[in-house]
Amino acid sequence: MTSKAAQTALLVAEAATDARTEEIPRQVCAVVCEGLGVDGATLSLLTDTPSRQLLAASNDDALVLEEIQFTVLEGPCLTAAHRGETVAVHDLRHEVTPWPLFGASVREKLPQVASVYALPVFFGDYVLGSVDLLARRTHALSAYELEQAEGVAEAVSAALMSTRDMLLNGGRPPAWEPQEIVRAHWFDTARAVGALASRQGLTPEDALARMRAEAFHTGRSLTDITADILRDPPQDP
């Protein structure tokens, strides 16, 4: 492991040791962003399922990146989690990505972002989630640096081990950053899906798909659609 990656992995471990359990996702996300020299980072849980949740975003650009993937249900984060493999987009402005909705949305909403990387986070053989990295320069990480960054993702997995009961079993929530948006990912979207499904006789999967379609059609975020449903419960069709 390169000195940069090794130092970052060490700092991730220290953050997990020094922080309160509920602070670990936020602290780890900040360390990864700074340590790897990228312009943004996110940490997400269960990214290959409809219930994937954002735990932390280092800044507004990273948050928008996650909002896009959460809404269109495609992108490097989901692919990394589904395949259990690192995904790299070295030149987002000129490469044709395999995710047409994601690619178009990112170019529109994040024109300053030039490269994106997604690293799966494992618990044993199970993909727990992923770390997303973004940069405002193309080819921000070389193939070798990206391979070394996988060691950082392993450190993230170890750091999250002590939070597993909190994250998966409904214990106390993490100290989310930013709190309002991540709460919408964690609690409020699930509540809105349940309300829509109940009122319109849909399965939860179909209700979530309808919410995503509305978000994409209107150009609003899934968080906004969620807020509308909870503020004004859907009527029977």
Side-chain angles (χ1 to χ4, degrees), residues 125-166:
D125 293 332
Y126 174 73
V127 178
L128 174 71
S130 73
V131 176
D132 269 14
L133 309 171
L134 64 87
R136 296 184 177 185
R137 61 196 185 278
T138 61
H139 298 274
L141 297 176
S142 68
Y144 179 70
E145 288 173 324
L146 195 57
E147 180 181 352
Q148 297 301 297
E150 293 174 358
V152 176
E154 292 178 7
V156 170
S157 175
L160 291 178
M161 190 66 70
S162 63
T163 73
R164 183 166 66 171
D165 288 342
M166 176 186 72

Side-chain angles (χ1 to χ4, degrees), residues 13-219:
E14 290 177 352
T17 300
D18 296 339
R20 298 193 308 272
T21 301
E22 61 270 21
E23 290 275 352
I24 288 175
R26 181 169 63 181
Q27 296 286 354
V28 164
C29 186
V31 166
V32 169
C33 181
E34 182 175 356
L36 293 180
V38 292
D39 298 308
T42 66
L43 179 60
S44 297
L45 180 69
L46 297 175
T47 51
D48 61 341
T49 75
S51 60
R52 70 179 274 259
Q53 305 297 342
L54 173 64
L55 299 181
S58 64
N59 54 35
D60 288 345
D61 285 352
L63 177 60
V64 172
L65 180 72
E66 283 302 295
E67 284 289 333
I68 290 170
Q69 295 183 93
F70 191 61
T71 299
V72 303
L73 198 59
E74 65 177 24
C77 181
L78 279 75
T79 297
H82 177 69
R83 296 179 180 174
E85 299 174 353
T86 297
V87 175
V89 183
H90 292 292
D91 189 349
L92 188 58
R93 295 166 182 157
H94 300 102
E95 286 184 33
V96 177
T97 76
W99 319 283
L101 299 181
F102 168 80
S105 296
V106 169
R107 292 184 183 99
E108 176 187 355
K109 297 181 179 181
L110 291 171
Q112 68 275 27
V113 173
S115 56
V116 176
Y117 306 94
L119 305 162
V121 174
F122 291 91
F123 274 168
D125 293 332
Y126 174 73
V127 178
L128 174 71
S130 73
V131 176
D132 269 14
L133 309 171
L134 64 87
R136 296 184 177 185
R137 61 196 185 278
T138 61
H139 298 274
L141 297 176
S142 68
Y144 179 70
E145 288 173 324
L146 195 57
E147 180 181 352
Q148 297 301 297
E150 293 174 358
V152 176
E154 292 178 7
V156 170
S157 175
L160 291 178
M161 190 66 70
S162 63
T163 73
R164 183 166 66 171
D165 288 342
M166 176 186 72
L167 297 175
L168 299 182
N169 298 332
R172 64 189 186 280
W176 291 312
E177 182 67 34
Q179 182 175 357
E180 180 180 350
I181 298 299
V182 182
R183 177 181 174 83
H185 280 279
W186 189 262
F187 287 114
D188 294 347
T189 298
R191 291 171 54 212
V193 166
L196 188 63
S198 176
R199 297 290 297 188
Q200 298 192 2
L202 303 170
T203 66
E205 292 77 11
D206 286 344
L208 181 57
R210 183 168 296 185
M211 290 166 60
R212 284 194 164 105
E214 176 68 12
F216 188 75
H217 174 71
T218 61

